[in-house]
Amino acid sequence: MEGELLEGKCLFMCPLSEQTRRQQQNRLSVFEILPNATSRISSRLLAHEIKAVKEYARPAAGKAIDLNLIRPIDVLLKTIRYLIKSVANRQDKPWAAIYSFVSNRIRAIKQDLTIQRCKGNKAILVLELATRFYLCSELKMVDAPVEEFDPILNKEQLLDAIYKLLELYIDDTANCSNQAEFESYNMLYNLDTEGIKVRAMLMNTYFRESVIFQHALRICKAAWQKNYVRFFKLISKSSYLCKCAVLRHIYRIRREAIQTMNIAYGNRASRFPIEKLAQILQFKECSLAEEFSSAYGIEVTCNQLTFTKKPLIAFQDRRFNTIASTDDDISISAIIAPG
């Protein structure tokens, strides 16, 4: 019936029918198999019943929803916590493999969440964890090849999660203790989009006492005012997730900064140390700052830049989105699911 709220009946992280089907098709992930076990009648790997997780699949048009394949909110929360704490935190597998598995399974979680129109504290927790995962992936996979990481798809899933989360905060004011945190990520991630300044000023009336929101707002204001020195100083003092949220703007702001510097210091008699440029623009290494400058057609000699006021060469390289970070050794689960 239209408007009727549905509730899933599957109490496993992955429906048993799907486990059987994917086992027969030899489509189990390395994160879902029983170690050192194969079928007696074939060489197929066997599913680990408590580690298999429902994979994302596009809904078939016109097909009725089978509630036996939909997981209720308690199972969805259990599943995403398992993915973050037991899979995303693994050190024995490359992050590209972890990302591929976890992002697909979180997408399936969001699908089950949407089908049931889940609200309340548990739905909020699920979307908070999903948003943090997608944000972390922005930084973890920043220099990964496209075949391992699709930044456009990650952006779509991140925005889907955070917009749904912000809507739930409006519907459930009793469970919005983390709203300032996620409004901050939304503001940083979308700082170049139309309307974000209006929302930022509106949210500022609610979060004047929030340290994270006020810090994020200062970063945004520095970007809007094209004050790149202040922008990168604030970035250096930001939390890991705030750095992840603003990461996709780093290249553009560095480009604007070096264009400004090219005009301001465009005197053949002047020299600008590459080490200072790396410090100001928060490059991880001086060598990367040198590559960045050379790619723009700026002369680099003996670790010194020579600006000329000439128009710079236009180019884009995702390597130059990386930023210096002191948080690389923190476990993923501690960042995504603290406490």
Side-chain angles (χ1 to χ4, degrees):
M1 186 175 66
E2 187 176 350
E4 180 183 1
L5 292 179
L6 304 176
E7 184 173 355
K9 297 180 180 179
C10 176
L11 301 182
F12 295 91
M13 292 196 298
C14 180
L16 296 179
S17 59
E18 181 186 316
Q19 291 186 37
T20 301
R21 184 183 73 254
R22 289 202 284 120
Q23 182 174 285
Q24 292 172 344
Q25 296 171 344
N26 211 21
R27 289 181 46 248
L28 293 169
S29 165
V30 66
F31 301 105
E32 301 176 302
I33 58 175
L34 283 168
N36 305 316
T38 57
S39 170
R40 293 181 181 179
I41 58 176
S42 72
S43 60
R44 295 191 186 102
L45 298 171
L46 298 180
H48 197 311
E49 190 174 285
I50 63 172
K51 291 185 177 180
V53 182
K54 182 180 178 180
E55 69 175 357
Y56 173 77
R58 291 184 181 278
K63 187 177 181 180
I65 296 172
D66 185 351
L67 293 179
N68 292 308
L69 303 179
I70 306 299
R71 298 159 295 178
I73 185 60
D74 286 336
V75 179
L76 295 176
L77 182 56
K78 169 190 171 184
T79 303
I80 197 167
R81 281 174 168 164
Y82 164 77
L83 289 169
I84 300 306
K85 292 183 177 291
S86 299
V87 180
N89 222 29
R90 286 180 62 165
Q91 302 295 316
D92 61 327
K93 300 295 179 185
W95 179 255
I98 291 171
Y99 172 79
S100 177
F101 178 77
V102 175
S103 61
N104 176 276
R105 273 39 177 190
I106 289 180
R107 197 173 180 185
I109 288 171
K110 293 197 292 111
Q111 186 180 58
D112 282 5
L113 205 68
T114 300
I115 288 171
Q116 299 170 92
R117 288 184 285 174
C118 296
K119 296 182 179 182
N121 184 49
K122 291 175 182 177
I124 285 173
L125 289 173
V126 167
L127 290 172
E128 287 179 345
L129 293 173
T131 299
R132 291 193 189 113
F133 172 78
Y134 289 124
L135 281 172
C136 269
S137 299
E138 292 272 326
L139 184 52
K140 293 284 286 184
M141 301 293 284
V142 65
D143 52 1
V146 176
E147 56 268 21
E148 292 182 355
F149 178 73
D150 183 344
I152 295 175
L153 179 60
N154 194 75
K155 175 185 175 182
E156 289 174 354
Q157 295 305 310
L158 170 56
L159 291 176
D160 177 67
I162 200 165
Y163 289 161
K164 287 177 178 175
L165 175 60
L166 296 181
E167 287 178 4
L168 289 184
Y169 285 142
I170 294 172
D171 293 338
D172 191 353
T173 55
N175 292 301
C176 57
S177 58
N178 293 330
Q179 185 176 357
E181 175 191 350
F182 288 90
E183 288 286 358
S184 300
Y185 302 151
N186 179 54
M187 182 168 56
L188 291 169
Y189 196 80
N190 295 299
L191 68 83
D192 62 343
T193 59
E194 187 176 352
I196 198 64
K197 291 183 182 180
V198 175
R199 184 176 181 88
M201 295 305 109
L202 175 63
M203 290 298 107
N204 188 42
T205 62
Y206 295 101
F207 302 121
R208 291 187 186 279
E209 304 301 320
S210 168
V211 174
I212 187 171
F213 184 87
Q214 293 303 318
H215 182 76
L217 184 58
R218 286 192 289 272
I219 293 173
C220 290
K221 285 181 177 179
W224 296 332
Q225 295 163 1
K226 299 188 181 302
N227 186 339
Y228 60 85
V229 174
R230 178 168 171 77
F231 174 84
F232 283 104
K233 278 185 178 179
L234 290 167
I235 292 294
S236 69
K237 301 174 183 177
S238 299
S239 69
Y240 187 90
L241 284 170
C242 280
K243 290 176 182 177
C244 294
V246 80
L247 190 69
R248 72 191 189 99
H249 305 291
I250 295 296
Y251 168 77
R252 174 180 60 81
I253 293 173
R254 279 178 175 155
R255 180 191 66 211
E256 293 173 356
I258 204 152
Q259 288 171 339
T260 300
M261 295 170 76
N262 187 49
I263 294 172
Y265 300 103
N267 185 327
R268 296 295 299 183
S270 66
R271 298 289 185 271
F272 197 92
I274 195 72
E275 185 177 356
K276 186 175 182 181
L277 180 75
Q279 179 184 9
I280 291 173
L281 301 187
Q282 285 290 296
F283 280 101
K284 295 174 73 172
E285 301 168 353
C286 286
S287 59
L288 203 57
E290 183 174 346
E291 282 187 62
F292 178 79
S293 303
S294 297
Y296 267 112
I298 297 171
E299 182 182 332
V300 183
T301 307
C302 299
N303 297 321
Q304 300 284 319
L305 299 173
T306 302
F307 294 108
T308 62
K309 293 190 178 182
K310 293 180 181 179
L312 300 180
I313 300 168
F315 82 104
Q316 176 119 23
D317 189 327
R318 288 182 62 217
R319 290 178 306 136
F320 300 127
N321 280 347
T322 56
I323 53 177
S325 176
T326 58
D327 308 308
D328 294 335
D329 295 330
I330 300 177
S331 73
I332 290 299
S333 65
I335 294 169
I336 301 175

